[in-house]
Amino acid sequence: MVVLVGLTTNRRTGQRSDLSRITAWWRGLVGDGFAALPPPTRSRYTQSDGHEDAAELFAARGIAEGASFAYWHWQSHAAFDRSGALTGPLYLHWGGDHATVAAGLGEGPPGYRIVSGGPQGAFQLDRVTERDADGLPDPRDETGIRQFLDRIGTSRHHGAAEGGPAPLTGPEERWLHDRLASPVELPRVAGFATALELREALTPDETSRLLAAWQVEYAGRLSAWPGWWPVLNALLRKEREEAWDVAAALGPTAAEVLAEHPSPRALATLRAMALAGHDSAVPAWFHTYRTLHEPDPYQTARTLSDQLTGRLTDGERAQAALLTALRTAVTEHWRATIPEADRATARAFTALTTVRLTTDDRLPRPLRVAAAHAAYDRLALVREEAARLTGPEAADALAAADRYETARDDLLAGTGPDLTGYEGALGDLWHRYRTLSPADIAWLRDRLADPATGVQGIAFCLELLHAHGEATETELLVLLPRWKKELTKQYRTTYTEWRHPLVTLTCLAQDLAHPAAHDLLAWWARPKPLWKAPLRLLTHLGAPDETRAAELWEFTVSGGHDTGHLMTWVLLRARLDGTHPLHVAEQLIGKPGIREYVLHRVLIGVADPAQPLWHYAVDPRSHSWWQRAREVADDPRLSAGARAIGLKAASEHYVLRHPDQVHPPLTEGELKEARAWHAARTGAPTDIPAAD
């Protein structure tokens, strides 16, 4: 049964909600070779989940694999508020043939319209609204207002590529000013104020009234109001003293706006932010310093790097932010001199710039270390670009690549990735750790021993050490004092390559037969907190036995939500039987109670038992999943059915479908080799578009 959050009828008016109307229309969609998936629950959170749901639906209904389908996922579902009203376009994702999906969706339900995002985008469903002769909505029509603001732009970067936002017509500007007339309804006017200030049209009187209302209604949390930017920008533009109190209250949130109005006071404020550990303020500090004092980006970077060195506990992040600012400045200067350069050429230049910076004597070591990290997966791009160049340019690029390779190990010794940032960035470099060097092992152990390493960092480092058999009692003893206060907190790992750190720690304690295993298992056995219930069985991978294997198997075939259970059972069974987990997984093909799409992900995920891929689904942008899928497809030890699963996963990977979305980026040579590999096994075309 599908359960949707949100009422189907408006309690105040008694009318059916947008959600009710749209779902009623949706359930009636039928078409030749087209299927509309049921509306989502929270388990369908991403597009990958949508494609998995489609595979499951097709299997259940006997629909051919090549059928086209449409769906929306839980993130798209946020377009509905709690009453079921549509508060923004509903993005409808799809698979299969675009024309078939467009025909299946049609024009939308009565009162709504569907706009196609093209063969590479999603469809958008929204209400039909009315406008007057000037193209303006009724001030009482919230949907019409939203659509009007979307058209004229309410983003600070709206129209940047065209030199700025399009000018407003006289009626449009008057309409916006009317919306800001007293009394100010602060929750409703952010878009109106932004649209005006993008054209520097917010008046002093409007600015003052908005500021007064903002400081009262959002006291102590000024950044919570979406309309803060136009007010601060107008204050700075008019050089009003109140701007500095507002900037101080906003903190690093205001950094980019301060940089757009450079002054000695802005520079001092941004420097204080950066030295306080707000690395997000570093690029604005760099830009403002260059504008006021030093046009040379290299000298600016050196000056700021010297000021950062030794002043921050986590200075690596600030140095990395400074490197990004420097690289952006160099690339922007290059683009200004060669405006006709396409994106592929610009990407190659940025990669070459990063490689050059690692050995640039104008830069201090912390910046060169940051560059060495950033250039790690870009070196092949540089060498490929050098092969296309001629004369001195080619020699210069090759020499830069050679210098980088000579200096890299020394620069990277005792360093590693930022463990506190976006987890996807860590996933992008997971393939680097398929084997661990002595330096890698030392760094991972040092991070676990560092009390400043947070839960995400612990999960990342402990998983790598444990999977490779390098975790020892030392790591266990280091983490045991922290587990009750820090590691017993919920930490979502649905879309990561590592498990919850307490799962891994419990497995390690059991493998070592350490007395702490008893306390850890006792905690897992308690009914609360509820978040741990789906993860408890994953701890059975530590010191496995037949009893645990049976309990895990019973859950796996029960139809319960799989968050790594089948993968754990395959790895567990392989340990007990002394065999490769691939052979365990292939024996499950066609077995009752095993969901095919989960098994397919597991088969590829366990291709390397020294580093299983714990991601909840095949990650189509990941180097690791691409590499493992190919290995499964080419493994002569496996059955034809198992190899076909690997080939299917490889065929659907973004390396072949959307290579520009693979991170880190691939060279054209790698793309051509991938297409040739695929063609040799499927007969598909071998031509491949240039990297975007």
Side-chain angles (χ1 to χ4, degrees), residues 493-497 567 601 613-619 625:
T493 58
T494 305
Y495 299 103
T496 65
E497 307 295 8
M567 178 173 285
R601 181 249 305 175
L613 303 177
W614 288 96
H615 197 292
Y616 181 71
V618 174
D619 184 352
W625 283 95

Side-chain angles (χ1 to χ4, degrees), residues 181-350:
S182 184
V184 175
E185 298 179 48
L186 209 58
R188 299 186 69 241
V189 301
F192 309 141
T194 302
L196 287 168
E197 185 57 20
L198 281 171
R199 286 95 175 166
E200 297 188 353
L202 201 61
T203 68
D205 181 60
E206 288 167 341
T207 303
S208 295
R209 286 188 288 104
L210 288 170
L211 174 62
W214 177 29
Q215 290 176 321
V216 171
E217 195 164 336
Y218 287 84
R221 54 188 187 99
L222 293 188
S223 62
W225 181 46
W228 67 264
W229 173 79
V231 176
L232 177 59
N233 196 73
L235 292 172
L236 289 166
R237 180 167 56 84
K238 294 295 184 179
E239 299 183 357
R240 291 174 55 169
E241 184 63 26
E242 304 102 303
W244 302 106
D245 291 334
V246 171
L250 287 169
T253 302
E256 187 176 343
V257 186
L258 291 175
E260 293 169 358
H261 301 272
S263 69
R265 197 166 180 179
L267 180 63
T269 302
L270 291 167
R271 179 180 184 274
M273 290 178 183
L275 295 182
H278 301 296
D279 52 279
S280 60
V282 170
W285 183 29
F286 174 88
H287 175 79
T288 305
Y289 189 93
R290 278 193 71 199
T291 303
L292 297 177
H293 294 298
E294 179 55 73
D296 181 3
Y298 294 92
Q299 184 56 48
T300 294
R302 182 178 189 92
T303 300
L304 302 194
S305 178
D306 289 344
Q307 293 186 46
L308 289 169
T309 301
R311 293 173 181 251
L312 298 173
T313 303
D314 187 14
E316 292 84 358
R317 291 182 60 185
Q319 297 286 353
L322 182 56
L323 171 77
T324 300
L326 170 61
R327 185 174 56 191
T328 300
V330 173
T331 302
E332 286 177 348
H333 174 75
W334 172 84
R335 289 204 71 121
T337 61
I338 311 178
E340 69 278 7
D342 59 23
R343 291 181 62 185
T345 304
R347 184 184 69 161
F349 177 82
T350 301

Side-chain angles (χ1 to χ4, degrees), residues 496-510:
T496 65
E497 307 295 8
W498 49 89
R499 296 167 292 179
H500 190 288
L502 198 53
V503 171
T504 315
L505 188 68
T506 304
C507 289
L508 174 61
Q510 294 177 93

Side-chain angles (χ1 to χ4, degrees), residues 60-128:
R61 297 185 181 178
I63 301 173
E65 271 192 15
S68 299
F69 58 94
Y71 64 95
W72 75 88
H73 52 49
W74 197 252
Q75 294 180 80
S76 302
H77 195 75
F80 298 105
D81 66 14
R82 291 181 64 84
S83 67
L86 194 62
T87 61
L90 177 64
Y91 284 86
L92 304 174
H93 302 282
W94 58 279
D97 177 67
H98 182 265
T100 301
V101 175
L105 292 174
E107 297 181 355
Y112 302 82
R113 63 180 177 184
I114 289 180
V115 177
S116 171
Q120 300 298 324
F123 292 85
Q124 296 182 43
L125 186 152
D126 206 348
R127 289 198 198 104
V128 173

Side-chain angles (χ1 to χ4, degrees), residues 410-430:
D410 174 65
L411 289 170
L412 296 183
T415 69
D418 175 17
L419 298 173
T420 63
Y422 169 52
E423 65 186 20
L426 289 174
D428 286 346
L429 51 79
W430 194 251

